[in-house]
Amino acid sequence: MSGLDTGQDIISYVALGDSFTEGLDDPYPDSDRTPDGRFRGWADRLAEHLAAAVPEVRYANLAVRGKLIRQIVRDQLPRAVELRPDLVTLCAGGNDIIRPGSDPDQVAEVFEGAVQRLRATGAHVVVFTGMDTGFQPVMRHLRGKVATYNMHVRAVADRHGCTVVDLWAMRMLQDPRGWSWDRLHLSPEGHRRLALRTAELIGLAVESGWDAPWPPEPPKDWRSARQEDLHWAREFLVPWIGRRLTGRSSGDGLSPKRPDLEPLRCGGRGSASSRRS
């Protein structure tokens, strides 16, 4: 699929997904003074790149943390179709794939239905593969399921003319510095690099460097690495298992941070009415 037409005076962009697109663990610089705790993330950063390239960008981010693909289709997709944007990013299915017993073939069927509905609006649709989890010891066993789902995502993109952002191929994200402490969400630098790569793929002229090597870092000793593993298990893994057992989600009670297409100022924050409830 050719790049996004940036010759327009106004471009509208809607982001769909879960915590990955909501932007978790990438706070705005003034987040300590913002009571709703908004996050920035690669999608907000992509909108900022758009705002630097065209006279006006109208941006909505419907993503909510913890959502499964059927919830995204039920709660976010109808609103995106209603808004009829020029550009849609859809990153979905990750929360399904990491759950025990999930079937990547079935998840892909739901994903394709969503893509069909979005493409029917005339939007330029950007989709994302899953990351190669081979570098994460606790997530390594999911590598085959992620790879299977990725093949489906690529096939869906081919059938429906979507741009693919291949996270599996972004080797610089296979460094712990690309990820936050929970090992599931990108760090601010990871979000920055993903935004640059996505902007590049849709045809925006942006600075290079999304794939720049990380600076050298001394290796951690065995004891420090195990202490980090224990901290991660206590602070993230145990609460995550608890939510699964009780049917709760980290996104329960939350609404999208930008539910409407609103003009985005070059500073990236947009209207002051964008709040998470």
Side-chain angles (χ1 to χ4, degrees):
M1 184 175 183
S2 60
L4 178 70
D5 178 10
T6 57
Q8 308 170 74
D9 290 333
I10 300 174
I11 286 181
S12 54
Y13 165 37
V14 174
L16 306 178
D18 51 32
S19 58
F20 193 77
T21 300
E22 185 186 339
L24 256 64
D25 298 337
D26 183 21
Y28 273 97
D30 62 349
S31 61
D32 58 335
R33 299 190 301 274
T34 306
D36 62 6
R38 281 170 292 169
F39 290 96
R40 190 183 189 186
W42 66 264
D44 284 22
R45 292 171 181 267
L46 175 62
E48 293 163 18
H49 288 306
L50 283 166
V54 298
E56 182 176 333
V57 170
R58 295 174 182 171
Y59 169 49
N61 190 320
L62 308 181
V64 175
R65 67 194 71 174
K67 295 305 179 183
L68 301 171
I69 193 165
R70 285 182 171 82
Q71 295 172 319
I72 292 169
V73 169
R74 181 192 68 202
D75 301 333
Q76 300 176 28
L77 184 63
R79 179 59 174 157
V81 170
E82 178 187 9
L83 292 172
R84 300 188 70 84
D86 302 300
L87 172 67
V88 176
T89 55
L90 175 62
C91 185
N95 285 327
D96 300 80
I97 296 300
I98 66 175
R99 290 192 171 205
S102 62
D103 184 342
D105 298 338
Q106 293 178 359
V107 177
E109 288 182 13
V110 180
F111 179 82
E112 181 159 22
V115 169
Q116 286 179 306
R117 291 173 62 183
L118 291 170
R119 288 290 290 132
T121 69
H124 182 113
V125 177
V126 179
V127 298
F128 298 73
T129 71
M131 270 294 306
D132 183 352
T133 61
F135 76 103
Q136 294 183 335
V138 180
M139 306 287 285
R140 191 173 294 147
H141 69 286
L142 296 171
R143 200 172 186 230
K145 286 176 68 175
V146 175
T148 299
Y149 186 60
N150 286 353
M151 295 302 291
H152 283 300
V153 168
R154 286 192 163 279
V156 169
D158 286 344
R159 286 194 289 269
H160 300 285
C162 304
T163 296
V164 178
V165 181
D166 189 355
L167 297 177
W168 186 284
M170 294 180 70
R171 296 299 180 188
M172 26 64 65
L173 289 182
Q174 294 185 21
D175 185 293
R177 286 170 286 183
W179 299 88
S180 69
W181 69 271
D182 68 8
R183 307 181 184 181
L184 270 183
H185 300 105
L186 295 174
S187 65
E189 178 62 11
H191 280 287
R192 187 189 74 84
R193 290 181 181 230
L194 179 54
L196 284 172
R197 178 56 174 157
T198 307
E200 178 182 270
L201 287 169
I202 63 174
L204 297 180
V206 292
E207 62 182 290
S208 60
W210 66 265
D211 57 349
W214 295 92
E217 185 179 62
K220 292 176 182 172
D221 62 80
W222 185 90
R223 183 180 296 274
S224 297
R226 297 296 74 74
Q227 287 176 340
E228 288 187 4
D229 289 343
L230 289 172
H231 175 76
W232 174 82
R234 182 177 63 250
E235 299 296 328
F236 174 74
L237 182 60
V238 172
W240 183 85
I241 292 173
R243 290 195 298 271
R244 298 290 78 74
L245 292 175
T246 57
R248 293 178 292 119
S249 167
S250 58
D252 289 346
L254 297 181
S255 58
K257 63 180 181 180
R258 293 184 66 97
D260 303 307
L261 282 173
E262 297 178 337
L264 187 78
R265 295 195 299 267
C266 254
R269 296 308 294 269
S271 166
S273 66
S274 298
R275 298 289 187 268
R276 182 187 298 114
S277 61

